[in-house]
Amino acid sequence: MAEAGIARLADPDVEARLARLDDLLEGLQATPGPTTRSATEAVVLLTEVYGEALARIMDRADGQLAERLADDELLGHLLVLHDIHPEPPERRAARAVERLRPAVRERGGDVEWAGVEGQVGRVRLKAGGGGCGSGCGSGTTELSDAVQEAVLAAAPELTAVESLAIPSDRQAAPAFVPLATLTHRGDR
C-alpha cells in the first residue's frame, strides 16, 4: 500500500516512461563516443544494483509475499530481467496463456497451453469468427502473434512459440455410409 503523500505511477505512466527510456537508450547507442560509453555503463551499473536490491527482497520474502510480488506485472518483468523470478518459465507462460483465454473465447476462438519442448513454448489455437474454414488465416495469424508476444513477455527464456491448431468443433464430422447402401443402390 502506498503511504499518503507518496506519488505512485499508474500503469500507463510506467509504460510511457519505459517507452521513453527505450528511445533514450536507442539514441545513446546510435551516438558513439566516450560520453555514450559512460552513460551506457552508468545505466548498466544502476540496473545491476537495483537487480541486487530486488534479489535481496526476494531472498527475505516468504512464499506468499514472493508470489504476490511476482504476480505484479512490473515487478514480474523485473524479476525475469534479473533472472530471479520464483516461477519457472513454463509456468509463467502457461499463466500468460490462461490470462488471454477469456478474451480469445469472447471472440469465438480458443487458446490452450500445450507445454514446452526444448526452449520452444507450444500453444493450441483456434481462431474465432464463425463461418471461416481453413481459408481464414488472418484471424489465426493475429491471434498467434498476440499469444506469442504474451508468452515471450512472460517467459523470455523461451526462444519461440509454436502454434498448433485446435480442431474446429464446427467442422462436419465424416459421414458414415453403411456399405449395404453402396452395394444395393437399386433396391428399395
Side-chain angles (χ1 to χ4, degrees):
M1 302 276 169
E3 292 181 31
I6 296 177
R8 300 291 303 272
L9 296 175
D11 287 345
D13 295 330
V14 171
E15 290 173 17
R17 282 167 172 77
L18 289 172
R20 177 69 179 137
L21 180 60
D22 281 342
D23 292 343
L24 290 170
L25 290 173
E26 283 179 20
L28 270 176
Q29 292 172 343
T31 311
T35 303
T36 297
R37 284 191 295 276
S38 294
T40 303
E41 183 180 358
V43 170
V44 169
L45 292 172
L46 183 61
T47 301
E48 288 174 352
V49 169
Y50 276 113
E52 178 58 25
L54 192 53
R56 290 180 185 194
I57 290 170
M58 294 303 288
D59 287 346
R60 288 164 177 76
D62 64 19
Q64 188 178 24
L65 177 59
E67 187 177 309
R68 287 179 44 219
L69 293 172
D71 281 345
D72 180 271
E73 186 176 1
L74 178 59
L75 289 173
H77 286 297
L78 290 173
L79 294 172
V80 168
L81 175 70
H82 295 288
D83 198 25
I84 54 176
H85 200 289
E87 291 182 326
E90 182 168 359
R91 185 166 174 209
R92 294 192 314 266
R95 287 179 47 190
V97 168
E98 284 305 310
R99 281 193 298 269
L100 285 174
R101 198 169 199 193
V104 173
R105 283 183 164 175
E106 189 174 285
R107 289 166 181 80
D110 201 3
V111 60
E112 300 171 354
W113 179 246
V116 173
E117 187 173 304
Q119 293 293 330
V120 177
R122 293 175 157 221
V123 294
R124 289 185 196 91
L125 295 175
K126 179 179 82 174
C132 279
S134 59
C136 296
S138 66
T140 302
T141 300
E142 289 173 14
L143 175 59
S144 180
D145 290 348
V147 170
Q148 180 174 349
E149 184 179 321
V151 168
L152 293 178
E157 301 92 333
L158 300 177
T159 58
V161 178
E162 181 179 292
S163 299
L164 310 168
I166 295 177
S168 175
D169 55 359
R170 295 184 188 130
Q171 291 177 330
F176 174 75
V177 180
L179 184 57
T181 60
L182 296 175
T183 56
H184 301 292
R185 290 185 345 167
D187 296 346
R188 290 224 179 227

